[in-house]
Amino acid sequence: MTLPLPLTAVSGLLSESVEPLIDPRALASMSDDALLSLVQDAECLGRAVDGLRVLAAGEVVERSRATLGPERLSAKRGCRTPAEVLERAALVSGQTARARIQLATRVQSTFTLTGELLPGAFPSVRESLASGALSTDAAAAIVSYLAPVLERGHAVDATAGTDPVRTAECELVAAALAGETADDVRLMAQTWALFLDQDGALPDERGNRERPLSLGRERNGTVPVRGALLPEVAAQLQRLLDAFLNPKVGDGPRFVAGETDACGGTRAGDADASPHESGIFRDDPEPRTPAQKRHDALAGILTVSAVHDSMPRLGGAAPTLIVAATPDQLAAPRGLAFLQGGAQTGAPVSASVARHIGCLGAVQRLVLSPDGRIIELGNALRVFSAAQRRAITVRDGECVIPGCHVPGAWCEIHHVHEHSRGGPTHTDNGVLLCWHHHRTIETGGWEIEMRRGVPWVRPPGWIDAHRAWRPGGRSAIREWARLRASGGAPP
């Protein structure tokens, strides 16, 4: 078979046509309608090429089948697998090569011994994919849910004389061609699979077998986590992360000391604040990536869970992590401490971890002299009681760092004046800090002080050049009381 036009020539023509369009000035000068039309046209071209990529990958697999022995394509090209052939020929990642092969093997046609062409498992998907009408995302969504139904076996409706899987395939392809997004097609395909195979489409013993979770060894200050969660476990974790990370709706009016209102007056602030301390305060810009925020949220979840009454006990007590340090390292700004417990025993951490864990009940601090003698062991007197925690949570509401809205239930209690330096375990010396801000309070530039039992916070200079002090936390009752005292709210 000869191609009407060599693909190299097509590629050259395409490059000539695209070159004027990708000029930054040309893109910037397009109207909104023209830009969206360009997006759609480019996607049509991409779908045609993607279909060709998938079908060509299927042929590579066919020519590399094991029955061909040393004559298989992969062997002749010195590759172990068809995926490796694609990686080297197309210069794509292994993940991309495997995805193309997985889709291709489910849609490609086959031949009988006499050379007669037989349709593949999903002929409608293949036809639409080959023509460039169906995206690979939608095609993969359809076959990923319907293929297991075929593998388990399905019954043809004898009454109607129809094949329900073929019906589902055609309906899903039609929906995709009508404009449904790939995500919508995936949801529709999942629904069809549940309808066609009500036992097999649900999570079964295979899912229960394939649920690994493992912790690696510490490398460069982090420990890799690998595994796969059951859908319901992943959903529960996602809900906990959402509860931890999503900003709360404000508890009520929140004014800034010295901020001018619409009438030209000054809103309620600190009666003791000096003129240079007043001014509008900006919320804390978030320096962390979404992935880092999820890590810190998980850390907070683990800390709260470890001391929960329903958690299993180890040696009659809540699971407790020990962080050991020597006095000189404990006092040094860049000192070292060491974890004790589990696979991470001996892993070095910053001494700031040991300094702050005196506020927690799930982590215990151990201080050793240079010759190994135990000279300090964290005890219950260092930990805020449940009653104190409840009172501090009512007062502060959330992490006291402005702009951080981690709820009080997920926060830790921080000794403003360190316990090791004489600071009492008292509500007048404890404030709510999220896991992240508790670990970075010494290095992040934030300062906290207590004024008549209320936390006040001062930001680093790069956030507020004036470094103005302001009340920390976000509590409805405190805001109401302050407004009422200043005449800003009815009695």
Side-chain angles (χ1 to χ4, degrees):
M1 177 182 179
T2 57
L3 295 173
L5 190 65
L7 286 182
T8 53
V10 173
S11 177
L13 291 174
L14 181 60
S15 297
E16 293 177 5
S17 301
V18 168
E19 186 173 359
L21 297 175
I22 60 177
D23 182 85
R25 289 180 292 272
L27 287 173
S29 63
M30 286 184 180
S31 66
D32 292 346
D33 290 339
L35 177 61
L36 294 180
S37 178
L38 174 63
V39 169
Q40 293 171 337
D41 292 342
E43 191 61 29
C44 287
L45 288 173
R47 284 197 297 268
V49 173
D50 285 343
L52 183 58
R53 286 168 167 168
V54 170
L55 297 180
E59 185 60 26
V60 170
V61 173
E62 174 64 20
R63 298 187 184 192
S64 300
R65 64 186 188 275
T67 55
L68 295 177
E71 293 302 313
R72 64 189 186 276
L73 177 60
S74 57
K76 290 192 293 183
R77 291 295 186 268
C79 298
R80 293 176 298 128
T81 62
E84 186 179 350
V85 175
L86 286 181
E87 289 178 51
R88 298 186 181 280
L91 303 180
V92 297
S93 67
Q95 181 180 7
T96 298
R98 289 188 294 273
R100 291 178 186 174
I101 287 174
Q102 184 178 31
L103 179 57
T105 53
R106 288 174 166 172
V107 301
Q108 70 181 99
S109 303
T110 57
F111 294 90
T112 65
L113 294 176
T114 59
E116 183 181 355
L117 180 65
L118 296 177
F122 297 98
S124 295
V125 171
R126 185 192 188 283
E127 179 181 357
S128 299
L129 188 65
S131 67
L134 185 67
S135 70
T136 54
D137 289 338
I142 294 171
V143 301
S144 65
Y145 281 102
L146 295 187
V149 180
L150 283 176
E151 292 169 0
R152 293 187 181 92
H154 67 281
V156 174
D157 190 334
T159 303
T162 59
D163 184 337
V165 175
R166 294 285 79 76
T167 301
E169 178 195 2
C170 293
E171 290 284 346
L172 292 169
V173 169
L177 299 186
E180 297 288 350
T181 67
D183 287 337
D184 290 336
V185 172
R186 181 176 298 278
L187 180 60
M188 296 166 65
Q190 182 182 31
T191 304
W192 268 105
L194 289 169
F195 173 74
L196 295 174
D197 191 5
Q198 298 182 18
D199 294 326
L202 293 173
D204 55 13
E205 65 279 358
R206 179 181 177 183
N208 286 325
R209 290 195 303 268
E210 298 177 359
R211 60 185 202 282
L213 183 63
S214 61
L215 298 178
R217 305 294 298 185
E218 185 269 337
R219 293 198 303 269
N220 300 323
T222 60
V223 176
V225 180
R226 302 180 182 87
L229 303 179
L230 292 174
E232 63 270 23
V233 177
Q236 183 65 35
L237 176 59
Q238 186 64 60
R239 294 296 293 170
L240 288 171
L241 294 176
D242 290 344
F244 198 106
L245 296 174
N246 285 354
K248 295 194 306 179
V249 176
D251 290 331
R254 189 180 190 187
F255 298 143
V256 177
E259 183 179 348
T260 302
D261 61 21
C263 300
T266 301
R267 290 175 173 170
D270 176 28
D272 298 333
S274 61
H276 75 276
E277 292 174 339
S278 62
I280 296 176
F281 183 88
R282 296 174 297 170
D283 274 354
D284 177 21
E286 179 54 72
R288 295 174 292 167
T289 66
Q292 289 172 331
K293 287 194 272 187
R294 286 191 292 271
H295 168 278
D296 296 350
L298 180 60
I301 292 168
L302 294 175
T303 299
V304 173
S305 300
V307 297
H308 197 275
D309 292 339
S310 63
M311 281 295 293
R313 301 297 184 189
L314 288 175
T320 303
L321 176 67
I322 297 177
V323 181
T326 58
D328 62 318
Q329 291 296 301
L330 194 62
R334 296 179 59 82
L336 279 179
F338 296 87
L339 300 179
Q340 303 294 320
Q344 311 313 320
T345 293
V349 295
S350 169
S352 64
V353 175
R355 286 194 288 271
H356 292 307
I357 60 172
C359 307
L360 308 175
V363 187
Q364 190 172 38
R365 186 171 78 179
L366 174 66
V367 181
L368 302 175
S369 66
D371 60 0
R373 178 190 174 196
I374 298 174
I375 58 177
E376 182 186 338
L377 179 64
N379 55 64
L381 295 179
R382 298 177 53 85
V383 181
F384 287 88
S385 68
Q388 288 174 316
R389 180 182 180 88
R390 287 192 294 268
I392 293 172
T393 300
V394 171
R395 184 196 65 200
D396 296 346
E398 62 186 15
C399 178
V400 299
I401 300 299
C404 181
H405 304 298
V406 173
W410 296 106
C411 288
E412 301 169 357
I413 309 294
H414 168 64
H415 285 84
V416 176
H417 184 49
E418 289 185 24
H419 185 278
S420 60
R421 298 177 181 175
T425 302
H426 189 279
T427 54
D428 285 350
N429 192 45
V431 297
L432 292 180
L433 286 179
C434 69
W435 186 92
H436 168 70
H437 284 116
H438 200 183
R439 297 314 186 277
T440 59
I441 193 64
E442 294 182 356
T443 58
W446 292 93
E447 295 181 35
I448 303 174
E449 69 177 27
M450 302 299 291
R451 299 183 182 180
R452 297 187 299 276
V454 176
W456 281 71
V457 183
R458 184 161 71 168
W462 65 272
I463 293 178
D464 179 10
H466 300 290
R467 301 205 67 199
W469 287 94
R470 64 158 301 165
R474 192 169 187 162
S475 169
I477 189 171
R478 276 176 53 200
E479 294 292 341
W480 177 83
R482 184 168 56 174
L483 288 172
R484 187 166 183 262
S486 65

